[in-house]
Amino acid sequence: MGDQELEFAQRWRDNAYGCFSSGHKFCREVCPVMQVTRNENHTPTAFHASIVAMEKGLVNVEDVADDFVHCTQCGACELRCPNTLMTGDFYRHRTRTVDVVKAMRALMVETGNEREAWKLWNERLALDHNEPVLGDTRVSQAHVADWAIGLDIPVGGETILFVDCEAAFFRTSYTRAFAQLLQKAGFAFGLMREQWCCGGPAAEMGYQDLALKHATHNVEDWRAVGAKRIIAPDPHDYIAFTEDYPKYFGEDYEFEIVLGVELVNDLVKDGRIALTHPVERTVTYHDPCRLNKRKGVHEAPRELIRAIPGLTFKDVDRVTQWSYCSGGGGGLPIEKPEITREISRRRVAKAAELEVDTLISACPWSERPLSEAGHEANLGVMDLFELVAVSAGIEP
Ligand code: SF4
Ligand code: SF4
């Protein structure tokens, strides 16, 4: 075993032993990947056992690399894990499975055990500086702000709207809806001079240097345009800005990060956005993992939904910590699209049981696989901001 592997195993051994010595697998049945594959190698327990085995020199990174692709980094296992809930009491170390998976993937890249589809995806990110969201059609800096044509949004200012790559190139109606809601409220904001990917997905797949390069570029751009505050409508960007960036930049990271759904909810509650147009739909809401399980944000989107006149809202049975995953995160759709498809198909089937006509999403990453599954099941999938915009009388 090489030095990098040994260093890795020693770094994560305490967390791994905490899991290995309890071994109750409480996490097992909340893991969306395990629910689909029924493969014990894809459980958080197995991930931690692999690190124990690695520390003992029984396996190396090559032996276990494929297992660690099987994770959406949804955070459900951490919420279910007693090592998270009872740290400081009987258990000593949090399992931190999401961080462990990220670190193992970084080790895979460092030791040349990359996965082919992730490698290609990140090579294209390195060339274009935005995610290859359009498949074979190249994204480019020249078109990163095309979604805003005609909206008269300035560049720069104290408050900057950061637009996720998926939302900038693919799901542009979501982005226009969000920007127009802020404009309707008279809320001043600007765009970046040159917006690169937040780097979060690259970090999730283990491409740490590439992620840092993109984060550094974005922070420099924020400073250059005089930003003090960054609005992140996309939960994945919100995770990158509130968890990855502070680790990269430490005390030099001076920005206030505002979550889009909380901002719009506040503007509605303050009466700055009036929801006057009834929307006659029967809906349920999909909790994006990075909002709910990772950040504990589940009330603001529900308050917004309840503020829309005409809607009938049927909440799901797992409304807080145990919400279902779409399968769209953690790079899973890039390497294992068939597993993402099945997770989304099951998520949509749960919504259909409630006899609704629309599943509301609040994350562009979730929305793509959910929309595909919804199409097959004849269930509409719609973004929350787009729905709010309709009720606010905004023409797209
Ligand atoms: S990750 Fe947590 S819940 Fe799962 S087996 Fe390990 S200690 Fe138990
Ligand atoms: S973060 Fe989610 S997908 Fe990954 S192991 Fe935990 S429950 Fe499974």
Side-chain angles (χ1 to χ4, degrees):
M1 187 160 54
D3 288 349
Q4 287 161 312
E5 285 172 84
L6 202 57
E7 203 179 299
F8 168 86
Q10 284 168 353
R11 162 72 185 85
W12 292 104
R13 72 178 296 283
D14 288 343
N15 309 76
Y17 272 96
C19 168
F20 189 68
S21 56
S22 25
H24 31 51
K25 303 186 184 178
F26 289 162
C27 52
R28 193 172 176 276
E29 294 307 327
V30 297
C31 174
V33 178
M34 172 63 186
Q35 285 167 2
V36 166
T37 68
R38 309 309 299 171
N39 183 334
E40 288 290 342
N41 290 343
H42 305 159
T43 57
T45 329
F47 298 159
H48 295 290
S50 292
I51 292 167
V52 172
M54 200 183 251
E55 201 218 4
K56 293 189 171 302
L58 301 173
V59 298
N60 57 33
V61 62
E62 196 180 342
D63 298 321
V64 298
D66 188 62
D67 297 339
F68 282 82
V69 175
H70 291 85
C71 175
T72 65
Q73 302 185 2
C74 70
C77 54
E78 290 193 30
L79 283 171
R80 187 69 185 86
C81 178
N83 289 13
T84 299
L85 300 173
M86 302 180 195
T87 301
D89 184 10
F90 178 71
Y91 301 88
R92 295 236 190 100
H93 298 278
R94 285 186 54 206
T95 41
R96 294 180 55 192
T97 304
V98 171
D99 286 341
V100 166
V101 169
K102 269 173 100 168
M104 177 63 93
R105 290 175 178 184
L107 181 67
M108 285 156 58
V109 173
E110 277 170 36
T111 56
N113 286 288
E114 292 167 275
R115 303 295 97 177
E116 214 33 58
W118 281 351
K119 184 166 181 267
L120 192 63
W121 194 96
N122 283 285
E123 282 169 0
R124 291 179 64 175
L125 173 67
L127 278 179
D128 296 331
H129 302 308
N130 286 108
E131 297 163 16
V133 289
L134 296 179
D136 290 335
T137 308
R138 296 281 293 271
V139 297
S140 73
Q141 277 301 301
H143 295 290
V144 72
D146 280 4
W147 65 269
I149 287 172
L151 295 184
D152 288 329
I153 304 173
V155 169
E158 288 198 355
T159 304
I160 292 296
L161 171 60
F162 188 91
V163 179
D164 185 83
C165 303
E166 181 84 358
F169 294 102
F170 184 68
R171 203 162 284 284
T172 52
S173 54
Y174 152 96
T175 321
R176 285 181 75 83
F178 183 80
Q180 286 175 284
L181 282 166
L182 298 195
Q183 287 180 324
K184 186 126 190 155
F187 187 93
F189 65 98
L191 301 178
M192 294 169 69
R193 292 180 316 183
E194 190 181 63
Q195 181 174 315
W196 289 12
C197 174
C198 69
E204 289 183 342
M205 291 176 238
Y207 291 80
Q208 297 291 338
D209 293 346
L210 193 59
L212 178 58
K213 181 179 174 183
H214 282 70
T216 304
H217 172 277
N218 287 333
V219 163
E220 283 171 2
D221 197 291
W222 293 343
R223 287 186 182 133
V225 299
K228 291 191 166 57
R229 184 173 312 102
I230 310 301
I231 308 172
D234 181 294
H236 290 254
D237 299 330
Y238 188 65
I239 289 272
F241 299 156
T242 57
E243 295 187 9
D244 294 350
Y245 283 32
K247 280 184 206 146
Y248 298 150
F249 306 114
E251 288 181 1
D252 292 337
Y253 187 62
E254 71 274 29
F255 303 99
E256 178 194 354
I257 308 299
V258 180
L259 180 63
V261 70
E262 291 183 334
L263 175 60
V264 171
N265 189 38
D266 286 346
L267 293 172
V268 169
K269 283 201 288 193
D270 292 349
R272 290 174 65 179
I273 301 172
L275 303 185
T276 49
H277 293 59
V279 181
E280 306 291 342
R281 283 177 183 254
T282 304
V283 307
T284 191
Y285 170 65
H286 172 72
D287 278 291
C289 298
R290 276 148 187 79
L291 271 194
N292 186 359
K293 291 194 280 274
R294 299 276 301 273
K295 286 294 186 187
V297 177
H298 43 78
E299 277 314 304
R302 286 179 168 79
E303 282 177 11
L304 254 185
I305 291 167
R306 291 192 176 105
I308 298 172
L311 272 192
T312 304
F313 177 38
K314 295 187 178 180
D315 216 342
V316 285
D317 56 343
R318 299 187 185 192
V319 290
T320 53
Q321 293 184 349
W322 316 120
S323 59
Y324 304 104
C325 181
S326 72
L332 192 75
I334 300 159
E335 269 295 333
K336 306 279 175 185
E338 67 288 356
I339 300 177
T340 294
R341 262 198 299 278
E342 181 57 19
I343 295 173
S344 260
R345 194 194 64 73
R346 291 180 187 206
R347 174 65 191 92
V348 163
K350 291 281 176 209
E353 282 171 15
L354 299 172
E355 297 184 350
V356 296
D357 53 53
T358 309
L359 175 63
I360 303 174
S361 159
C363 167
W365 277 75
S366 302
E367 209 175 324
R368 199 190 302 215
L370 287 176
S371 295
E372 285 169 8
H375 187 68
E376 284 169 22
N378 204 21
L379 183 80
V381 175
M382 191 170 178
D383 179 80
L384 177 55
F385 295 134
E386 290 187 66
L387 199 67
V388 175
V390 170
S391 188
I394 289 169
E395 299 288 338

